[in-house]
Amino acid sequence: MRNKWYWAFKHIFFGPALRVWNRPWSEGMERIPESGPAILASSHQAVMDSFYFPLLCPRQITFLAKSEYFTTPGFVGGLQKWFFSSVGQVPIDRVDKNASDAMLTSAQRIMNRGDLFGIYPEGTRSPDGRIYKGRTGMARIALTTGEKVIPVAMINSRKANPIGTWIPRPARVGVRVGEPIDPLAWAAERGLDPEDHDTAREFTDYVMKELAQLTGQPYVDVYASDVKASLQAGHGYPAGAELGS
């Protein structure tokens, strides 16, 4: 499905400037199928990951975006809502008790159209550039639909768009695409039940470690959201997530 605003932002409004300013490069983009559905599981370093990756991907990607982008009041909130709505992104309330089911339903609808479904398994941006423990929503979607998961590593996007900044810095950004993973074949090879929650946990951990290898960053077996909460409360890094550990 082609969205005219998505095309315009990519080829007219933002894309040309970002290509000059950040000189983005890609590796392994041919691993993304030319047609048909797939799950693109990306590391998450910066807000502008959702600009750089679509800029380099030859096909349109539909991401699930946090609901705050659609509900924040004021001028900036209205601008965010207009942008994310106009390019076809789908809101998801991450704290809603039914968020997991809503995510699965939305993902199935997107892929039933034959489109690419993009998701950040960490659930939030990395606080320091490392790869953090993933949420199992991505795995649940993959094991339910049987669609292949393609790991995508964002390189240097955090340097170009540090947390709290709006204007990108002139750091060179890269996107490295890994080998597609067939979730049902992966489970079968290990004698695991695709419908078991433990299988979703194991598959998530496997994909996150693949992302760590692709990025060259350490893997941290702690949720990034827990680290952020601890840092904001002034408690420092929680056990198991200390820098240098």
Side-chain angles (χ1 to χ4, degrees):
M1 184 183 70
R2 181 168 172 172
N3 178 294
K4 64 180 181 180
W5 280 111
Y6 188 105
W7 184 93
F9 280 117
K10 179 174 179 176
H11 295 285
I12 299 175
F13 299 131
F14 294 153
L18 291 177
R19 286 186 182 276
V20 173
W21 190 243
N22 295 114
R23 298 168 294 135
W25 56 270
S26 67
E27 178 183 304
M29 200 63 72
E30 71 280 356
R31 291 169 175 157
I32 296 175
E34 294 182 1
S35 62
I39 300 167
L40 306 178
S42 175
S43 63
H44 200 11
Q45 301 287 308
V47 168
M48 291 196 65
D49 290 339
S50 297
F51 289 74
Y52 294 122
F53 181 26
L55 176 63
L56 296 177
C57 182
R59 292 180 59 193
Q60 181 173 323
I61 309 166
T62 300
F63 283 96
L64 293 185
K66 62 182 182 180
S67 59
E68 292 88 337
Y69 288 148
F70 297 82
T71 59
T72 302
F75 174 76
V76 173
L79 193 61
Q80 284 181 337
K81 179 180 179 180
W82 174 79
F83 172 77
F84 284 101
S85 298
S86 64
V87 296
Q89 307 311 291
V90 178
I92 189 76
D93 186 346
R94 297 176 297 178
V95 298
D96 188 278
K97 64 179 181 180
N98 297 316
S100 180
D101 290 338
M103 182 186 299
L104 176 58
T105 299
S106 296
Q108 287 177 313
R109 184 170 63 250
I110 291 164
M111 290 188 287
N112 284 342
R113 300 194 306 242
D115 291 344
L116 296 175
F117 171 70
I119 188 170
Y120 298 114
E122 289 164 289
T124 186
R125 287 168 288 169
S126 169
D128 50 37
R130 295 181 293 173
I131 302 299
Y132 280 83
K133 185 175 183 177
R135 302 287 178 175
T136 59
M138 174 274 300
R140 184 182 172 203
I141 292 166
L143 291 164
T144 299
T145 64
E147 299 295 349
K148 290 184 178 179
V149 174
I150 302 174
V152 178
M154 300 303 302
I155 313 293
N156 276 348
S157 58
R158 186 170 179 268
K159 292 182 179 179
N161 177 215
I163 293 175
T165 65
W166 283 84
I167 301 174
R169 299 177 181 179
R172 194 168 190 205
V173 174
V175 178
R176 182 173 291 129
V177 181
E179 293 286 350
I181 306 165
D182 184 324
L184 298 182
W186 178 92
E189 288 171 2
R190 292 160 176 78
L192 300 175
D193 180 357
E195 297 183 5
D196 194 308
H197 176 75
D198 290 341
T199 302
R201 178 72 266 165
E202 288 190 43
F203 185 71
T204 302
D205 294 343
Y206 178 82
V207 172
M208 299 315 296
K209 289 172 183 177
E210 288 291 303
L211 286 174
Q213 288 188 345
L214 287 169
T215 60
Q217 294 287 343
Y219 171 72
V220 183
D221 194 26
V222 178
Y223 291 121
S225 57
D226 292 343
V227 173
K228 288 182 175 181
S230 181
L231 292 173
Q232 289 172 357
H235 301 317
Y237 278 85
E242 301 91 343
L243 288 171
S245 63

